[in-house]
Amino acid sequence: MTTVLLVLVTIMATVVWWLFRQTINVKPWVERRPGSELQGDVAFSLPSVKVGLWVFLAVATSLFALLISAYYMRMAGADWTTLAVPQGLWLNTGALILSSVAMQWTRVSARRGQINGVRSGLIAAGVFTFCFLAGQLWVWQQLSASGYFAAANPANAFFYLLTALHGLHILGGLWVWVRTTAKVARGAEVGAVRLSVELCTTYWHYLLLVWLVLFTLLLTTPPRQNSCSPDNFAVCGPTR
Amino acid sequence: MSYVAHDETDFARPAEIEEMELYHPKTFIGKYIWSQDAKVIGVQYSITAIAVGLVALVLSGLMRLQLGFPHTFSFINPSNYLQFVTMHGMIMVVYLLTALFLGGFGNYLIPLMIGARDMVFPYVNMISYWIYLFAVLLLMASFFVPGGSTGAGWTMYPPQAILDGTPGAQWGIILMLVSLAFFIIGFTMGGLNYVVTVLQARTRGMTMMRLPLTIWGIFMATVLALLAFPALFVSCIMMTLDQALGTSFFLPALVSKGQLLDHNGGSPVLFQHLFWFFGHPEVYIVALPAFGIVSDLISVHARKNIFGYRMMVWAILIIGGLSFVVWAHHMYVSGMNPYFGFFFATTTLIIAVPTALKVYNWVLTLWRGDIHFTVPMLFAIGFIFTFVNGGLTGLFLGNVPIDIPLSKTMFVVAHFHMVMAVSPVLVVFGAIYHWYPKVTGRMLNDSMGKFHFWVTFIGSYAIYYPMHYLGFLGVPRRYYAVENIDFIPQSAHSLNVAITVAALIVGAVQVVFLYNLVWSYFKGKPSGDNPWQATTMEWQTAHTPPTHGNFGKELPVVYRWAYDYSVPGAQTDFIPQNQPPSKSTGGNEAKSQ
Ligand code: HEM
Ligand SMILES: [Cu+2]
């Protein structure tokens, strides 16, 4: 639970810090015309969808941090066997990195107003993302073919769970990607898609980051966790 | 200081906020069913939540009947009893209170109170409601599947939740888990809306520190919910996998009905951590909106500014932050490391400080106020009493040595009903009496309201006060019948009968309330735009009920906080937030907080 606490402390600290800036030293009972030096008179200068996206990323961060905490706690169990990380994941990671790069390229093109760059960038990003998802499915298949389906051992179960949730988030992103790409294909101006492109880029980078964290987690899990000792009976329970 | 009417040049230019594009419904269905108007969505949420709440109320009546008169009702067997307990608890906490405070009041009040036309993402908002409805239907469906609904308790602890022998271990629990997952997805959609709307769509002059406390409460509760619900989401998915695919996230190796199960090595305590990581903030998810609403009700109906507004806001922030580090006070008996217990007992007691601050501030607001004993005010005062009561027993239970003998007894049931059932429900009622005129344009009937209040308030005490005592005696919770146990005297049984009678009366009186809602809709006294003479923006709309877009052609401009009641020298005893300041008063700086 330490991971999740750290993450949440960071998120809450950001929230509270921002609110504090809004609230400290303000005397709300003093009537004032708006537009004077009042703090917090206006909203963020970002478009609301961007704020919405950042709030959503905070929620997703909480979700993944909780899963990682659970992973660590479960690792202390006596039956833990660490997953032999499938080599295919390296390829998939490469594809995801490329998709993120392509997205970044799209964003730069969108900033410069080059619709051609936006078009090819979006398509490249989409293709790499699909490669990533297909690659993940392929790794799943390999694992289950060699007899490691979810129930085989806890590390496998976590592997399926983590990759599935990460993949679902990517699917959600692809939905926005499809709509944006369709707009571009129908000949939209750069200005009409710039915001969507920026949102997608942020989201892609975020999911890449999450994936890198998860992948590192899988790679760095020690081969075999020791079994319960009196020190960590918080996890193992008093009986064992 | 004298108050002089403003002159025209004092108006600030109208809003420079970007106008949002409103969605324009054409048909009846577009307007009231597939509506993207936050007000309609709020009402849809409220009606759905109250409807499932009634199911939960009926279940509690059945439980009380069984406890008061064991051996009388052949249709309640031990499994049924557990199912009733479980469904009652889960529905009340999640599907009624959370949905009503955030989905119902949040949707209705946020745009109106901050001076916005609608939520910032109306389409997502609409989807949020429909997913919620779907989650409710899934949950209700679990009554009818083979094996019935789950009887695992609202905490759904594994391993028993998915082992044979627990009612609904096959279908019921899965439906419950899946329904919760959908609820969370739907809620996240709505929650993003509430947060971003408060951040982005405030009208000109509506600074964060001019927000009414209702909005602060709902805002912070939503932040908590957005961060805490993922914990429930994760545990729901993991338990579903344990049940359906045979994984071992939570299930240790065990023998059930003489058979060794396939599971191995899972950790039930892990589930408890995840569950309570959500579960404790959940208490504040229903409490913070209640705190906020009560602050406003008290201020309006005592015609006084809220005492210590800034302190109230900070208390909300601090409570919100702390509520994430107290979860394991629900797990003192789980066998976790005793040092954890020490840590969590300390944080639990610390959280009482900002909470107590709020109580003092409410009382100080009432102090020498011009108190109007309207129905909303009665409920607000009732809340303060009840909340203090439940809070005090909470201090007891927060200490490990006291909690250990009392946990799993009726004392706990009495405690949490006082603090998170009766208290927020009193606020819900108060809020409905307060805002019903805005929603419908008619007042709720006053006599029926007062009757409803007194019976509910006194009745709740009749139910839960004696229950503390049963807990001291050691009467366990979640027990179908307690018989032939030496340490429980016969008199405890008479007490149970009395509690049941009180519970049935309280339950029955809610019918009066429902009748009032319907009757007043057609026959109630027309309310006008601002029946309570309140300052906040929802009462300053041009129409009541507010039309689509809330504020006519131009968004209002806000010049002052929400609590200008009984300002010395002013003509009326309230000054609406959008009334421009007058030169000669130059602000009411001199007024103390
Ligand atoms: C007339 C009103 C109510 C009555 C008579 C009532 C009665 C009861 C009873 C008899 C139990 C079971 C005790 C046991 O055997 O363990 C119970 C449990 C519970 N109630 Fe209520 N209740 C009422 C309202 C509420 C409300 C408004 C909430 C909302 C928070 C609530 C939340 C719960 C919870 C969370 C449980 C625990 C369920 C479990 O043990 O899994 N109740 N209630
Ligand atoms: Cu708690």
Side-chain angles (χ1 to χ4, degrees), chain B residues 5-182:
Chain B
H6 61 269
D7 64 42
E8 295 295 309
T9 56
D10 254 348
F11 281 108
R13 269 164 305 120
E16 277 162 15
I17 304 269
E18 264 177 76
E19 276 288 337
M20 38 172 111
E21 226 172 89
L22 283 180
Y23 139 92
H24 288 290
K26 305 238 160 44
T27 56
F28 175 85
I29 293 192
K31 218 164 171 179
Y32 297 107
I33 314 273
W34 302 109
S35 174
Q36 300 184 17
D37 182 336
K39 294 187 293 297
V40 179
I41 298 175
V43 174
Q44 288 174 328
Y45 255 113
S46 307
I47 292 176
T48 315
I50 292 175
V52 269
L54 284 176
V55 175
L57 183 73
V58 170
L59 292 176
S60 75
L62 293 175
M63 288 185 290
R64 277 317 319 176
L65 281 176
Q66 168 60 30
L67 291 177
F69 310 99
H71 306 301
T72 320
F73 302 97
S74 55
F75 62 93
I76 308 178
N77 62 35
S79 295
N80 293 148
Y81 183 81
L82 290 176
Q83 291 169 324
F84 296 167
V85 172
T86 308
M87 296 299 275
H88 161 81
M90 191 61 99
I91 292 176
M92 286 290 191
V93 175
V94 175
Y95 295 82
L96 169 71
L97 288 180
T98 309
L100 187 55
F101 272 127
L102 302 181
F105 293 154
N107 265 313
Y108 199 89
L109 294 176
I110 290 175
L112 278 168
M113 284 185 128
I114 67 172
R117 297 217 181 276
D118 205 335
M119 290 284 180
V120 286
F121 312 126
Y123 183 75
V124 180
N125 208 18
M126 173 183 80
I127 305 279
S128 151
Y129 169 73
W130 291 101
I131 296 185
Y132 164 65
L133 183 65
F134 179 64
V136 168
L137 292 178
L138 272 185
L139 190 72
M140 292 300 116
S142 79
F143 283 114
F144 305 104
V145 293
S149 59
T150 172
W154 87 284
T155 47
M156 308 181 294
Y157 281 179
Q160 46 92 11
I162 56 178
L163 292 185
D164 272 353
T166 307
Q170 302 298 327
W171 287 90
I173 185 72
I174 293 286
L175 276 176
M176 164 85 80
L177 294 170
V178 173
S179 160
L180 282 171
F182 274 103

Side-chain angles (χ1 to χ4, degrees), chain A residues 99-147:
Chain A
S99 77
S100 223
V101 170
M103 268 297 175
Q104 182 65 29
W105 192 53
T106 318
R107 171 152 93 179
V108 173
S109 311
R111 285 231 175 114
R112 296 201 184 129
Q114 300 158 340
I115 190 73
N116 286 337
V118 172
R119 190 177 303 127
S120 40
L122 275 176
I123 291 172
V127 169
F128 286 126
T129 314
F130 275 113
C131 284
F132 172 78
L133 285 182
Q136 297 287 77
L137 282 178
W138 170 62
V139 169
W140 275 22
Q141 214 118 63
Q142 274 189 325
L143 272 179
S144 65
S146 50

Side-chain angles (χ1 to χ4, degrees), chain A residues 140-218:
Chain A
W140 275 22
Q141 214 118 63
Q142 274 189 325
L143 272 179
S144 65
S146 50
Y148 290 107
F149 196 52
N153 68 50
N156 265 296
F158 266 106
F159 177 74
Y160 279 101
L161 180 64
L162 292 170
T163 45
L165 281 175
H166 181 258
L168 283 177
H169 278 79
I170 288 199
L171 276 183
L174 277 177
W175 183 62
V176 181
W177 172 84
V178 166
R179 296 192 357 164
T180 317
T181 315
K183 257 196 211 166
V184 174
R186 270 187 264 112
E189 298 280 318
V190 178
V193 293
R194 187 177 291 136
L195 185 59
S196 317
V197 167
E198 293 195 353
L199 294 173
C200 281
T201 314
T202 313
Y203 193 60
W204 252 253
H205 291 345
Y206 172 79
L207 284 180
L208 174 63
L209 185 73
V210 170
W211 173 249
L212 292 179
V213 170
L214 295 179
F215 194 37
T216 320
L217 184 73
L218 294 177

Side-chain angles (χ1 to χ4, degrees), chain A residues 8 31 40 46 62 74 79 233, chain B residues 200 227 248 264 277 335 560 581:
Chain A
L8 274 165
E31 59 184 32
L46 296 172
S62 172
R74 184 64 180 82
D79 64 326
F233 86 39
Chain B
Q200 296 289 102
L227 297 178
S248 308
N264 196 358
F277 190 82
R560 59 189 74 242

Side-chain angles (χ1 to χ4, degrees), chain A residues 1 4-5 8-9 11-12 15-16 18-20 22-35 38-53 55-56 58-60 62-63 66-67 69-71 73-74 77-79 149-151 154 157-158 161 165 175 230-231 233-238 240, chain B residues 10 12 120-121 188 192 195-196 199-200 202 204-210 216 219-220 223-224 226-227 230-231 233-234 237-238 241 245-249 264-267 269-270 273-274 277 309-310 313-314 317 320-321 324-325 327 334-338 340 557-561 564 581-582 585-589 591 593:
Chain A
M1 295 309 270
V4 70
L5 269 184
L8 274 165
V9 165
I11 296 178
M12 284 306 277
V15 174
V16 171
W18 184 80
L19 290 173
F20 214 70
Q22 299 288 305
T23 54
I24 193 99
N25 275 335
V26 180
K27 296 204 185 72
W29 48 92
V30 178
E31 59 184 32
R32 274 223 178 95
R33 245 165 240 91
L38 267 188
Q39 277 176 326
D41 193 1
V42 281
F44 288 108
S45 47
L46 296 172
S48 295
V49 252
K50 273 200 183 166
V51 180
L53 178 64
V55 178
F56 177 72
V59 178
S62 172
L63 178 80
L66 281 157
L67 281 165
S69 296
Y71 184 83
M73 288 178 75
R74 184 64 180 82
D79 64 326
F149 196 52
F158 266 106
L161 180 64
L165 281 175
W175 183 62
D231 293 342
F233 86 39
V235 173
C236 312
R240 231 178 291 129
Chain B
D10 254 348
V120 286
F121 312 126
T188 305
L192 288 176
V195 169
V196 179
L199 291 178
Q200 296 289 102
R202 281 168 287 129
R204 260 193 104 208
M206 181 62 88
T207 61
M208 290 301 278
M209 282 311 257
R210 279 178 177 168
W216 270 109
F219 175 73
M220 200 60 196
V223 172
L224 294 190
L226 284 174
L227 297 178
F233 187 75
V234 170
I237 293 187
M238 284 164 50
L241 293 178
L245 293 187
T247 55
S248 308
F249 290 111
N264 196 358
S267 162
V269 179
L270 171 59
H273 277 299
L274 287 174
F277 190 82
Y309 174 84
R310 264 195 305 197
V313 172
W314 288 341
L317 296 184
F324 277 108
V325 287
W327 79 87
S334 70
M336 64 176 189
N337 191 322
F340 280 15
V557 180
V558 165
Y559 297 90
R560 59 189 74 242
W561 71 337
D564 269 342
S582 58
T585 53
N588 37 349
E589 195 126 17
K591 185 157 55 78
Q593 194 180 8

